[in-house]
């Protein structure tokens, strides 16, 4: 029996939060904690929260109500809120749920070891949500600890773009890029432990710039690490898709032919009102250039439906854009008004109208995804296997175009890149046989 304390951590929201959660767990492991997937046996529960839409934020309070019941029986259970709700709501969280012991915003994770020791001393009501971004990356421990075929690496945090609907610039602060040396040494470390793929992460990953080193030059340096066979990045902004970056897709075979490039709307009027800073035509031009440079590239996007002022015509333009681009997959959301954002002062559209439009868009995007997956049938793909699947002898990996693939194999193929012939198509993934 281990005499370590146990932490249960639940992560909401984006990949940045996933990455942060792993870092927080590393700090806890240094302090004699281990992670558990059973909330009942936890000595500490951390909710790493997301504030992007109202639903995501409200979920936190209902979850807290449930966790509080555990604390009623186990009074020394520590409850912590991290992530973007922690940053946005700060002290208000203690008011709404007094069972919470600590609140840490994403700007202050470097203070987490200090917080752990305060908790050990029995302190409560600990709060760290100040904004002193600049040394954030310096004190971050390398995440290269756990061996994984596909490793996430945060290279940039924060956002200066201030889209009118979005909380991220307020919760994650201004754009900060991490030093190229730190990034490359973390990746080399991961490569030693078996990583074959790197996914570079940032809220605006392609706005990366560290002391004059651009995002594309970082990718060129990273491509020189032999053990790394695949490079991906997210999330990028159309405004930062420089020609240099676009051309890299033609020069670096390791740069995978899949790009998640959120556009939000197909109407120039709405894009302007959202402060996105580009036109629909410019978005299409990026897509066309990339398709010309890299024949097999496919695309994913994010859409917001029912932004204040969106007319039937604006919405139709979004549909038209989708038909023109043909996405391999995409995410779409109803607009959710977020406190403190400029768009929250605008009059909202009727909820039913928003829902109807979202339905129409999602229908189209699902069809496009099905079409894309069906095109893969009988094709041979290179697949990097990342984990064991749910079925007997099943393994799950991804194609170069990022589609999930399941195969059956007697030997363990996790961490290997293997040729797979696709023989059937599921709703969001592929099945195949090893060649
Ligand atoms: N940095 C990325 C996206 C970050 S948030 C970008 O600029 O594209 C992820 C997605 O959530 C966004 O692309 C957007 O589609 C959605 N989103 C953000 N704020 C939202 C809001 N207030 N209501 C609905 N969806 C929102
Ligand atoms: Fe939010 Fe816009 Fe920044 Fe993306 S670019 S994080 S949508 S403000
Ligand atoms: Fe959510 Fe914050 Fe990510 S609001 S989407 S967790 S940056």
């Amino acid at each position: 029996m281990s005499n370590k304390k146990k932490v249960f951590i639940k992560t909401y929201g984006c990949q940045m939060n996933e990455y942060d959660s792993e870092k927080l767990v590393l700090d806890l492991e240094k302090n004699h904690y281990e992670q558990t997937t059973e909330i009942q046996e936890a000595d500490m529960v951390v909710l790493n929260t997301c504030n992007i839409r109202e639903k995501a934020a409200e979920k936190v309070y209902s979850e807290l109500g449930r966790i509080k019941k555990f604390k009623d029986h186990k009074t020394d259970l520590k409850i912590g809120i991290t992530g973007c709700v922690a940053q946005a709501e700060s002290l208000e969280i203690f008011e709404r749920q007094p069972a919470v012991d600590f609140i840490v915003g994403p700007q202050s994770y470097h203070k987490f070891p200090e917080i752990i020791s305060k908790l050990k001393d029995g302190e409560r009501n600990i709060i760290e949500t100040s904004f002193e971004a600049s040394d954030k990356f310096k004190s971050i421990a390398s995440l290269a600890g756990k061996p994984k075929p596909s490793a996430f690496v945060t290279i940039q945090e924060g956002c200066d773009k201030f889209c009118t609907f979005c909380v991220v610039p307020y919760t994650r602060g201004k754009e900060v890029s991490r030093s190229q040396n730190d990034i490359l040494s973390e990746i080399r470390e991961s490569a030693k432990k078996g990583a074959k793929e790197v996914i570079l992460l940032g809220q605006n990953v392609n706005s990366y710039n560290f002391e004059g080193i651009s995002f594309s030059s970082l990718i060129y340096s990273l491509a020189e690490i032999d053990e790394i066979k695949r490079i991906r990045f997210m999330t990028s902004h159309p405004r930062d898709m420089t020609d240099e970056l676009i051309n890299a897709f033609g020069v670096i075979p390791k740069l995978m032919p899949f790009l998640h490039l959120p556009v939000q709307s197909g109407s120039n009027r709405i894009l302007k009102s959202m402060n996105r800073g580009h036109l629909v035509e410019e978005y299409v031009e990026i897509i066309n250039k990339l398709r010309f440079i890299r024949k097999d590239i496919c695309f994913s996007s994010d859409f917001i439906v029912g932004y204040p002022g969106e007319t039937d015509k604006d919405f139709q333009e979004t549909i038209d854009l989708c038909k023109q681009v043909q996405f391999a997959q995409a995410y779409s959301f109803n607009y959710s008004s977020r406190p403190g954002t400029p768009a929250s002062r605008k009059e909202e559209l009727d909820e039913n109208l928003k829902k109807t439009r979202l339905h129409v868009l999602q229908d189209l995007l699902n069809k496009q995804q099905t079409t894309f997956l069906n095109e893969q049938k009988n094709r041979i793909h290179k697949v990097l296997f990342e984990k064991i699947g749910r079925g007997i002898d099943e393994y799950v990996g991804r194609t170069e175009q990022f589609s999930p693939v399941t195969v059956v194999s007697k030997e363990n193929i996790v961490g290997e890149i293997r040729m797979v012939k696709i023989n059937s198509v599921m709703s969001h993934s592929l099945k195949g046989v090893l060649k």
Side-chain angles (χ1 to χ4, degrees), residues 52-53 165 203 235 262 264 276 302 304 333-334 336 338:
I52 202 83
R53 285 169 287 274
F165 52 81
Q203 262 92 28
T235 298
Q264 316 300 352
R276 290 289 290 178
D302 290 345
I304 293 179
F333 316 96
N334 264 147
S336 166
R338 306 306 293 127

Side-chain angles (χ1 to χ4, degrees), residues 159-163 165-169 203-204 237 264 276:
C159 182
D160 299 337
K161 297 230 165 24
F162 291 94
C163 301
F165 52 81
C166 184
V167 294
V168 172
Q203 262 92 28
N204 275 286
H237 194 290
Q264 316 300 352
R276 290 289 290 178

Side-chain angles (χ1 to χ4, degrees), residues 20 25 44 99 128 145-146 174 185 189 248 264 278 302-303 317 326-328 362 364 369 419:
D20 291 340
V25 169
M44 183 191 289
E128 285 292 351
K146 294 188 181 136
K174 65 177 172 52
S185 62
E189 193 71 18
Q264 316 300 352
H278 68 86
D302 290 345
F303 292 90
E317 287 176 359
Q326 295 286 337
F327 292 97
Q362 286 183 338
L364 174 64
Q369 182 173 31
M419 304 304 262

Side-chain angles (χ1 to χ4, degrees), residues 12-14 16-17 49-52 84 167-168 171-172 203:
Y12 302 83
C14 62
M16 299 292 279
N17 263 11
T49 61
C50 172
N51 197 32
I52 202 83
C84 291
V167 294
V168 172
T171 60
R172 294 272 169 172
Q203 262 92 28

Side-chain angles (χ1 to χ4, degrees), residues 209-389:
N209 192 306
F210 182 80
E211 292 174 359
I213 297 169
S214 68
F215 184 57
S216 36
S217 61
L218 173 70
I219 292 177
Y220 279 97
S221 307
L222 162 54
E224 283 170 20
I225 302 177
D226 282 342
E227 296 91 330
I228 301 300
K229 309 293 182 200
R230 294 180 164 199
I231 302 169
R232 304 182 188 278
F233 56 85
M234 64 184 179
T235 298
S236 31
H237 194 290
R239 259 157 72 187
D240 298 313
M241 286 303 299
T242 59
D243 279 337
E244 201 189 347
L245 177 57
I246 292 172
N247 290 331
F249 279 89
V251 181
I252 307 175
K254 288 181 180 181
L255 197 49
M256 290 291 101
F258 169 89
L259 182 64
H260 179 64
L261 192 63
V263 63
Q264 316 300 352
S265 168
S267 152
N268 281 331
R269 212 177 61 81
I270 295 295
L271 288 184
K272 184 156 188 233
S273 167
M274 288 175 162
N275 191 33
R276 290 289 290 178
H278 68 86
L279 298 170
V280 176
E281 291 76 9
E282 286 163 328
Y283 183 82
V284 173
E285 194 184 324
I286 296 168
I287 301 277
N288 289 342
K289 279 185 185 167
L290 282 162
R291 282 201 164 126
F292 180 76
I293 284 175
R294 185 79 189 245
K295 294 277 166 298
D296 58 343
I297 196 164
C298 64
F299 297 95
S300 156
S301 196
D302 290 345
F303 292 90
I304 293 179
V305 173
Y307 182 80
E310 184 189 73
T311 62
D312 282 341
K313 180 169 172 290
D314 294 317
F315 178 65
Q316 186 55 45
E317 287 176 359
T318 297
I319 296 290
D320 294 343
L321 174 67
C322 292
K323 288 185 175 158
Q324 188 180 358
V325 174
Q326 295 286 337
F327 292 97
Q329 61 162 80
Y331 305 91
S332 49
F333 316 96
N334 264 147
Y335 167 74
S336 166
S337 172
R338 306 306 293 127
T341 60
S344 69
R345 294 191 293 270
K346 294 177 196 268
E347 200 186 324
E348 283 198 57
L349 294 192
D350 174 68
E351 275 307 311
N352 286 327
L353 177 67
K354 279 161 65 175
K355 279 188 192 143
T356 313
R357 284 183 187 163
L358 184 63
H359 212 78
V360 173
L361 178 63
Q362 286 183 338
D363 237 34
L364 174 64
L365 292 170
N366 279 335
K367 283 196 185 111
Q368 295 194 345
Q369 182 173 31
T370 306
T371 306
F372 174 79
L373 291 174
N374 275 311
E375 283 166 6
Q376 311 313 317
K377 215 170 162 179
N378 296 322
R379 287 196 187 158
I380 293 172
H381 279 285
K382 264 189 192 168
V383 176
L384 169 61
F385 286 93
E386 293 172 35
K387 57 183 185 202
I388 295 171

